[in-house]
Amino acid sequence: MQVWSFASGSDGNCYLVESEGTSLLVECGRPYSQIRDLLDGAGLSFDDLSGIVLTHAHGDHSRSARYLSQTHRVPIYASRGTLGALALEDIALGKPLESGKTYVVGQMDLRPFAVPHDCREPLGFRFESGSGRAAIATDLGWVPSNVAKHFRDVDLLIVEANYDPHLLHTGTYPYFLKQRVSGTYGHLSNAAAGEAIAACRDRPPSAVWLAHLSEHNNSPKHALQTVNRILRRSGLGHVQIKTTHHRRSTLRWTSAVARERQLPLFA
Ligand SMILES: [Zn+2]
Ligand SMILES: [Zn+2]
């Protein structure tokens, strides 16, 4: 399994999860031409995609999904609430998902789970294949137990670390927006992300990408300091933590099994 972070934040989100020839574009929140170039950098085109997976309908996650899906006949896997907001002309392209069920897409199992966010039926996802397990949860106000259980025993966890409370409350956002961001249907703080990882105890993810960092109310330094402090305190200082970039493809992760499989090619 391989995962790329193409873009992450309120200016647009886009990731790619690939396993044994099944390629899922997770989020579609950057302009169409940029996603084409980002995919090209990973050696893929739109026609190689097995599907588009959307967590929710906010524009920073869904902006190009309708056009891309209809132009290249790529199905969209999302909740009914998300699909309804997209208003696809060809409803056969929409593949409705329900939280708690498991769906087989090519070589991957897709397990959606409900997250608390101010949108209709927002989801997070766990991806499993013969070569790896990854989970993504961004845009959530807090981490309920049905979400937390998917953070355990994964090889890679992509989790939101949206804001530092001090930067948010002393920053320039209007009061209502500060309330929205920090509310139970808003976004996850650095400390909340750290506590959620620490709660995995003896079954933590092997690697973590902190994602959807606010450009106004956070920085990679703040996020890493807070999360690493919590993990060290919890005896999980060995967990590898990185931060995603807002607009650049900076992170690529390959599962250990996939790396082993690649080895004979170079022997
Ligand atoms: Zn978002
Ligand atoms: Zn959102």
Side-chain angles (χ1 to χ4, degrees):
M1 182 180 279
Q2 295 188 85
V3 182
W4 286 256
S5 172
F6 287 156
S8 180
S10 55
D11 206 24
N13 296 272
C14 194
Y15 309 88
L16 177 69
V17 180
E18 186 279 333
S19 194
E20 281 93 8
T22 300
S23 298
L24 298 175
L25 192 69
V26 181
E27 315 288 41
C28 214
R30 295 293 295 165
Y32 173 86
S33 59
Q34 285 185 19
I35 297 175
R36 182 191 57 213
D37 295 345
L38 289 161
L39 272 179
D40 188 54
L44 294 172
S45 72
F46 289 133
D47 296 326
D48 296 318
L49 292 176
S50 314
I52 297 165
V53 176
L54 298 181
T55 58
H56 64 298
H58 283 159
D60 57 319
H61 298 257
S62 69
R63 182 174 172 180
S64 306
R66 184 170 182 264
Y67 181 74
L68 198 165
S69 170
Q70 295 189 158
T71 305
H72 297 275
R73 310 295 303 164
V74 183
I76 300 180
Y77 296 86
S79 68
R80 287 186 190 281
T82 300
L83 291 171
L86 295 180
L88 291 166
E89 281 156 26
D90 181 353
I91 55 167
L93 287 169
K95 307 293 179 191
L97 304 176
E98 284 179 38
S99 171
K101 294 192 173 173
T102 300
Y103 300 84
V104 178
V105 184
Q107 299 301 310
M108 268 188 273
D109 282 357
L110 182 61
R111 299 175 67 188
F113 49 89
V115 298
H117 190 55
D118 54 358
C119 202
R120 280 187 62 199
E121 295 182 74
L123 296 171
F125 296 99
R126 182 166 169 135
F127 305 87
E128 296 201 18
S129 76
S131 65
R133 296 160 298 183
I136 180 166
T138 70
D139 298 63
L140 67 170
W142 59 293
V143 183
S145 58
N146 76 300
V147 175
K149 72 178 182 186
H150 292 290
F151 291 7
R152 292 183 207 120
D153 298 323
V154 287
D155 303 305
L156 174 69
L157 170 66
I158 304 174
V159 63
E160 171 165 53
N162 184 262
Y163 68 95
D164 173 273
H166 179 71
L167 293 181
L168 176 68
H169 293 299
T170 57
T172 55
Y173 272 20
Y175 179 73
F176 81 90
L177 203 48
K178 291 179 180 179
Q179 293 297 105
R180 192 212 142 219
V181 168
S182 60
T184 48
Y185 291 91
H187 292 275
L188 216 57
S189 71
N190 295 335
E195 297 293 353
I197 303 161
C200 296
R201 295 167 192 262
D202 56 345
R203 294 158 62 195
S206 308
V208 176
W209 291 353
L210 301 177
H212 212 297
L213 272 68
S214 168
E215 289 188 84
H216 304 280
N217 309 312
N218 208 358
S219 72
K221 192 177 161 195
H222 281 87
L224 288 169
Q225 271 181 355
T226 301
V227 172
N228 278 321
R229 189 175 63 239
I230 292 168
L231 293 187
R232 277 196 302 272
R233 195 186 64 203
S234 311
L236 295 177
H238 60 281
V239 176
Q240 227 189 81
I241 310 284
K242 293 180 177 175
T243 53
T244 55
H245 193 278
H246 297 287
R247 291 171 207 84
R248 283 210 303 272
S249 177
T250 50
L251 295 181
R252 176 185 173 181
W253 171 86
T254 304
S255 66
V257 176
R259 279 195 294 272
E260 279 168 24
R261 283 188 186 160
Q262 285 168 8
L263 280 177
L265 295 173
F266 304 101

